[in-house]
Amino acid sequence: MDPEAVRKYSALHAKPDGLVLQYGTAGFRTKAERLDHVMFRMGLLAVLRSKQTKSTIGVMVTASHNPEEDNGVKLVDPLGEMLAPSWEEHATCLANAEERDVWRVLMDISEKAAVNLQQEAFVVIGRDTRPSSERLSQSVIDGVTVLGGQFHDYGLLTTPQLHYMVYCRNSSGRYGEATVDGYYQKLSTAFVELTKQAFCGGNEYRSLKVDCANGVGALKLREMEPYFSQGLSVQLFNDGTKGKLNHLCGADFVKSHQRPPQGMEMKSSERCCSFDGDADRIVYYYSDTDGHFHLIDGDKIATLISSFLKELLVEIGESLNIGVVQTAYANGSSTRYLEEVMKVPVYCTKTGVKHLHHKAQEFDVGVYFEANGHGTVLFSKAAEMKIKQLAKELEDKKRKAAQMLANVIDLFNQAAGDAISDMLVIEAILALKGLTVQEWDALYTDLPNRQLKVKVADRQVISTTDAERQAVTPPGLQEAINDLVKKYKLSRAFVRPSGTEDVVRVYAEADSQESADSLAHEVSLAVFQLAGGVGERPHPGF
Ligand code: 16G
Ligand code: MG
């Protein structure tokens, strides 16, 4: 660790004057050309975090579902989780330090976090397919090496694959082999085992159209296909050979516009799904015989998966508890169905994977999904050991149920929500239950809903409580929302400052689309008036 070398290299990755960035919900994100210094400094920080935890740390270069011109970076903690909150603060401090202060801030962090600087450091790096990602990941490597850290650059990876690599390396190979081949082997073996039990009437169950958002998911799914092709054949669209990343395609586009991605050839009743740009989100959809588009979002995915898991848990007769974690964006019908029909306890957390993940860790089997398609199932270590033991000991039907659960455990990337894992689990469940996509969709009917954005001078004037479902400030806003909600049937509305964009988000649902649209509009007006709206007043019809 040589302060002069750090100063010299830092100057080669200089921070643009006056630029201030925040480590947000999923790391730093902005236009790629503003990120060189952040990447270098996150290389430095990853070394400190690795020394402190005496473990391998991951650095992923991606801006997920955002436009191709953007980029971003996030750090992955030892067990494949998101970076600890106190280190998010260190990350923000370091990213915003003036050039002359970089070394001092590094020393401050080391002191505050009791980092042993003599300790060795190891960092693994992955990146998505953005044109800027290769250069930016080189800046991360510069940061790692100047502080004397060792590294392995995996090159192109999906975000969940990088989480997997970090987890494998820190569990001395017990979880799996830290290579893409190890990842493919682990997931596909579990998938093939699980689907062996399925009775498939015909090939229609076994083929799936996948919109890869022109992102890294396409490359990785193509590499992986030979491993699972006995059980499923995938047809890739928006595979990056011509279109632009996330442009008119991908999970975010499909979910927010409620329409099919460009470039996908959809025939009626065919099962289709979309990944986002770094393959940690997935939504399903189909078009019916009348040509109407039907979206199957994260809530319905959670419902399918949790009902399947609950049946298996009942079958093996062990009292392992299961819980479902959602956010305020979960459709009211999904929450009602889970609680009242399936009798599964449901919990609500703040938006952002780390909050859901944290809550899901409280259960033996914690299912978490955001409506937008981020999610997974976590099994506690004790539940995993118990189930794997039962898969050897039990007899007949019970044994089969335990074996299936054991396969599901291996199939979910326990380090992070993963579009590929989720897709394989969903496909296995549909095949095992002989469910068509329409039958799955018919589990419950979504309440009509609308999301809007409002521009305000300072979105931080809005603070919330009760997992973002109630506004605490500005004064009077929550009362206004309550009064508006009373005007509609089956209605609900909330507002929150976005963690990724300079806007306030408004969500409303009600018994009809007209009511949901009108409620969302009225709530937007209340935000505009009470929370310092700027620019044009929200107008009906958005
Ligand atoms: C980030 C989060 C996502 C959340 C979204 C909300 C991760 C990996 N990603 O993309 O979970 O739904 O932010 O965005 O945590 P918003 O705050 O702008 O509404
Ligand atoms: Mg993503």
Side-chain angles (χ1 to χ4, degrees):
M1 304 238 325
D2 167 3
E4 265 326 298
V6 171
R7 273 189 204 107
K8 194 174 122 208
Y9 276 85
S10 187
L12 299 174
H13 299 280
K15 181 172 93 72
D17 270 346
L19 180 60
V20 177
L21 296 169
Q22 193 79 28
Y23 196 97
T25 330
F28 292 103
R29 262 181 212 168
T30 183
K31 294 279 160 257
E33 72 254 19
R34 306 162 89 191
L35 278 168
D36 182 50
H37 69 295
V38 178
M39 297 292 168
F40 172 76
R41 294 173 185 199
M42 288 308 104
L44 301 174
L45 191 74
V47 170
L48 295 189
R49 182 65 173 155
S50 172
K51 286 176 186 286
Q52 191 219 23
T53 57
K54 303 186 175 56
S55 306
T56 296
I57 293 295
V59 180
M60 182 72 197
V61 177
T62 179
S64 184
H65 58 280
N66 295 288
E68 188 166 282
E69 300 71 32
D70 291 7
N71 219 321
V73 57
K74 65 178 171 188
L75 267 60
V76 178
D77 254 0
L79 299 177
E81 335 89 292
M82 306 276 187
L83 185 64
S86 56
W87 280 75
E88 290 187 359
E89 279 173 39
H90 298 326
T92 301
C93 254
L94 185 59
N96 295 321
E98 292 310 323
E99 217 37 67
R100 59 180 179 279
D101 297 328
V102 168
W103 179 259
R104 187 182 54 74
V105 173
L106 282 176
M107 291 304 109
D108 274 359
I109 297 171
S110 305
E111 200 182 309
K112 277 192 197 139
V115 177
N116 172 5
L117 296 172
Q118 307 312 317
Q119 181 70 34
E120 301 203 329
F122 199 88
V123 178
V124 291
I125 299 144
R127 63 176 145 91
D128 72 10
T129 54
R130 279 160 219 272
S132 59
S133 292
E134 189 168 357
R135 185 179 52 79
L136 290 175
S137 69
Q138 198 51 53
S139 306
V140 174
I141 293 172
D142 281 359
V144 173
T145 38
V146 78
L147 273 194
Q150 303 284 308
F151 71 94
H152 179 82
D153 179 11
Y154 280 98
L156 294 167
L157 282 187
T158 69
T159 295
Q161 284 179 328
L162 183 74
H163 285 257
Y164 166 91
M165 301 305 173
V166 173
Y167 192 21
C168 287
R169 283 175 181 265
N170 290 319
S171 51
S172 353
R174 279 190 309 279
Y175 182 62
E177 198 195 306
T179 59
V180 280
D181 188 59
Y183 170 95
Y184 298 145
Q185 293 277 5
K186 173 158 187 171
L187 268 59
S188 356
T189 309
F191 174 75
V192 171
E193 274 303 308
L194 186 59
T195 45
K196 262 191 200 153
Q197 329 262 358
F199 166 73
C200 286
N203 276 342
E204 74 273 20
Y205 278 132
R206 294 169 167 252
S207 82
L208 173 68
K209 292 187 166 174
V210 188
D211 153 32
C212 298
N214 291 315
V216 66
L219 303 175
K220 298 299 155 180
L221 198 52
R222 186 156 283 142
E223 268 173 26
M224 188 177 183
E225 195 188 0
Y227 293 76
F228 62 67
S229 55
Q230 299 169 249
L232 175 70
S233 109
V234 287
Q235 202 181 340
L236 308 191
F237 294 85
N238 299 320
D239 65 353
T241 45
K242 24 183 211 297
K244 208 171 164 183
L245 180 68
N246 297 322
H247 182 61
L248 304 175
C249 61
D252 192 63
F253 173 85
V254 172
K255 166 77 183 161
S256 46
H257 293 82
Q258 309 249 344
R259 63 179 152 101
Q262 212 174 52
M264 164 83 89
E265 298 150 23
M266 270 173 89
K267 296 205 195 90
S268 98
S269 308
E270 270 180 347
R271 215 165 56 255
C272 306
C273 67
S274 286
F275 291 2
D276 72 338
D278 61 339
D280 65 354
R281 261 170 82 171
I282 185 168
V283 293
Y284 270 70
Y285 43 90
Y286 66 99
S287 91
D288 64 22
T289 43
D290 297 329
H292 291 131
F293 177 78
H294 295 260
L295 177 72
I296 302 185
D297 65 3
D299 302 335
K300 229 164 226 169
I301 294 175
T303 310
L304 178 79
I305 295 173
S306 45
S307 71
F308 177 72
L309 294 178
K310 193 175 171 196
E311 280 167 27
L312 293 178
L313 290 171
V314 169
E315 183 69 47
I316 61 169
E318 286 293 320
S319 58
L320 293 172
N321 70 21
I322 178 168
V324 177
V325 186
Q326 304 185 316
T327 70
Y329 289 107
N331 195 278
S333 293
S334 74
T335 316
R336 203 189 63 80
Y337 182 86
L338 285 161
E339 287 181 331
E340 293 175 17
V341 181
M342 282 178 45
K343 311 267 186 245
V344 177
V346 181
Y347 301 83
C348 186
T349 68
K350 290 202 272 187
T351 301
V353 169
K354 63 184 172 202
H355 301 295
L356 292 107
H357 192 95
H358 186 71
K359 183 73 192 171
Q361 285 173 325
E362 291 176 14
F363 307 95
D364 296 322
V365 183
V367 181
Y368 75 80
F369 269 90
E370 289 189 311
N372 65 21
H374 271 130
T376 190
V377 180
L378 300 178
F379 290 81
S380 70
K381 276 284 149 257
E384 173 171 357
M385 274 166 63
K386 176 110 220 162
I387 289 166
K388 292 194 168 165
Q389 187 62 28
L390 292 172
K392 291 188 207 134
E393 280 172 4
L394 292 173
E395 306 275 326
D396 309 329
K397 264 180 88 182
K398 286 189 170 196
R399 180 191 186 118
K400 195 171 139 191
Q403 280 172 344
M404 283 162 79
L405 277 169
N407 293 144
V408 172
I409 294 173
D410 288 344
L411 195 38
F412 273 117
N413 182 345
Q414 297 285 311
D418 182 339
I420 295 182
S421 281
D422 293 347
M423 176 191 88
L424 291 175
V425 171
I426 292 164
E427 291 301 312
I429 297 176
L430 294 177
L432 285 161
K433 293 191 143 208
L435 278 179
T436 64
V437 69
Q438 292 90 335
E439 287 164 336
W440 173 21
D441 189 31
L443 284 179
Y444 60 82
T445 307
D446 276 323
L447 280 172
N449 57 86
R450 177 65 60 196
Q451 284 195 50
L452 297 176
K453 303 178 193 184
V454 184
K455 281 220 170 282
V456 297
D458 173 12
R459 69 191 196 279
Q460 302 312 337
V461 301
I462 297 201
S463 60
T464 63
T465 182
D466 188 24
E468 302 177 325
R469 291 173 292 190
Q470 299 279 326
V472 179
T473 58
L477 180 58
Q478 188 56 47
E479 291 72 16
I481 296 174
N482 293 345
D483 289 342
L484 294 170
V485 165
K486 278 191 206 127
K487 292 167 53 183
Y488 301 89
K489 291 202 196 89
L490 298 179
S491 53
R492 186 168 74 87
F494 67 90
V495 302
R496 54 176 281 278
S498 159
T500 63
E501 259 184 87
D502 191 12
V503 295
V504 175
R505 297 204 193 280
V506 171
Y507 177 90
E509 66 186 31
D511 63 336
S512 70
Q513 192 60 54
E514 295 69 42
S515 298
D517 289 353
S518 159
L519 176 57
H521 172 63
E522 291 189 289
V523 172
S524 301
L525 282 177
V527 170
F528 192 85
Q529 279 154 8
L530 298 168
V534 292
E536 228 182 299
R537 267 165 65 90
H539 49 86
F542 346 108

